[in-house]
Amino acid sequence: NLGKSWQVFGAIFEFCDTETASAAAANGTAKSLTCLHDRDTPTCVLVANTPALSAMLARHGIAAVESESFASLCELVAAKKKWMMSECGEGVVLTLAEEGKPRAYKWKISREPQPVAIKELTETIRSLKPGGPLAHKAMLLSAHVHTLLADLLDVATHVDSASAKEKSAPTQKSAPEQGAKARALDPADVKNGISSALTKFDVFDAAFSAKGKGAIPQISAMLVEEVLGDKDLPMPGGEKEKEKARKEVTAAVRLHVGEDFGRWQRAQAEAGANQAKDAGGVADAAVR
């Protein structure tokens, strides 16, 4: 039982420079650790949860989640579907090999909903059915893949006990907030919703690197949907109040993403300045 306990499911090590991080990744790989070191985070090494990592942590008295191996994603989802709907934990951390490199993903239970994922799963399943735009390609997919999509949607839309209890409880209307500056949502609730939504995404640095400031609208739109889909966010009743709440969430998300982009820009500028300084030092040494 992992309830109310801290369990390690991987590790991230940050080093002083890229060369040291690269050497550490190579050393870890040689010792059977599954390490990821890429250009997105050049000074960091991610170590995936494997028996080798668990054994290393055990030697130091650190509890770790027991890792399991599966032949495919279809097999993993089929094996864990029942557990994901049992409310025994927040979800499962998956380590998948992509192009020979490990990638960590979070598979969350429905209590932390992902409306974007639900929408895309629903649309994909519908498009693969007879009469759908991708029906002619459905026959190319194995039955295991169709089952995979259905299982993922079942888990994502599962009604947990807390939600069921809330729906069965009688609703009480609270008095509307007075004043010209009355808000549809408590700013603290919005802040908590954004923090929860951010746990479902990797850092946005890769998107900023690829699209620059153009990535902000796309990232903001995804985060807004995640926050609004959070069952812990006390949304008001009535269409006008809901629209007002959406605007408040959108404004808060855009501010957060804009600040994150500013942080990324400053980090890029600092890295460029350091590279220029190092290049100048090398040139000066060559002249001397």
Side-chain angles (χ1 to χ4, degrees):
N1 182 13
L2 303 181
K4 297 183 179 180
S5 64
W6 289 99
Q7 302 281 329
V8 176
F9 54 82
I12 296 178
F13 297 93
E14 186 171 6
F15 298 88
C16 58
D17 53 52
T18 303
E19 291 73 19
T20 305
S22 179
N27 184 49
T29 300
K31 294 183 178 180
S32 301
L33 293 173
T34 302
C35 302
L36 172 63
H37 176 239
D38 59 22
R39 63 183 182 180
D40 291 339
T41 51
T43 60
C44 295
V45 175
L46 183 150
V47 182
N49 186 27
T50 60
L53 176 64
S54 297
M56 183 183 75
L57 294 171
R59 290 197 298 270
H60 295 278
I62 301 175
V65 175
E66 183 179 353
S67 62
E68 298 180 66
S69 298
F70 296 90
S72 67
L73 183 60
C74 294
E75 182 182 316
L76 183 151
V77 171
K80 292 296 180 181
K81 177 183 177 180
K82 184 177 180 180
W83 185 90
M84 288 289 290
M85 299 170 73
S86 69
E87 304 177 32
C88 292
E90 294 182 357
V92 176
V93 176
L94 314 177
T95 302
L96 305 178
E98 295 182 354
E99 298 180 357
K101 295 182 178 179
R103 296 286 182 181
Y105 296 92
K106 299 173 185 175
W107 183 19
K108 293 281 192 175
I109 65 173
S110 61
R111 186 167 293 179
E112 296 192 35
Q114 298 191 45
V116 175
I118 292 175
K119 179 182 177 182
E120 293 181 352
L121 282 168
T122 302
E123 291 178 350
T124 300
I125 292 173
R126 185 184 298 118
S127 66
L128 290 171
K129 288 183 176 181
L134 298 179
H136 61 292
K137 296 183 178 181
M139 64 181 68
L140 301 177
L141 300 175
S142 72
H144 296 298
V145 175
H146 289 281
T147 301
L148 166 71
L149 294 172
D151 286 346
L152 289 173
L153 185 59
D154 285 344
V155 171
T157 56
H158 169 67
V159 180
D160 62 79
S161 58
S163 298
K165 185 176 181 181
E166 288 176 2
K167 289 182 178 180
S168 63
T171 56
Q172 294 182 348
K173 294 184 178 180
S174 57
E177 187 177 352
Q178 302 296 320
K181 295 184 179 180
R183 298 177 62 91
L185 296 170
D186 187 327
D189 290 332
V190 176
K191 183 178 179 180
N192 291 336
I194 293 175
S195 298
S196 177
L198 288 171
T199 66
K200 302 167 187 174
F201 297 94
D202 292 327
V203 292
F204 301 124
D205 292 14
F208 293 149
S209 297
K211 298 183 179 180
K213 197 172 184 178
I216 293 178
Q218 181 182 3
I219 294 173
S220 298
M222 289 192 301
L223 278 178
V224 167
E225 292 306 315
E226 292 295 340
V227 175
L228 291 174
D230 191 338
K231 296 177 182 178
D232 291 330
L233 184 69
M235 289 291 287
E239 292 303 318
K240 289 185 178 180
E241 285 300 302
K242 286 182 179 178
E243 182 59 29
K244 186 177 180 181
R246 171 178 279 274
K247 290 180 179 179
E248 291 175 6
V249 169
T250 300
V253 165
R254 286 178 178 172
L255 176 62
H256 178 90
V257 176
E259 291 176 346
D260 199 31
F261 178 74
R263 172 202 58 76
W264 175 82
Q265 275 190 317
R266 291 190 293 273
Q268 294 299 304
E270 184 178 347
N274 290 336
Q275 289 178 355
K277 183 178 179 181
D278 292 341
V282 171
D284 182 58
V287 171
R288 291 185 181 182

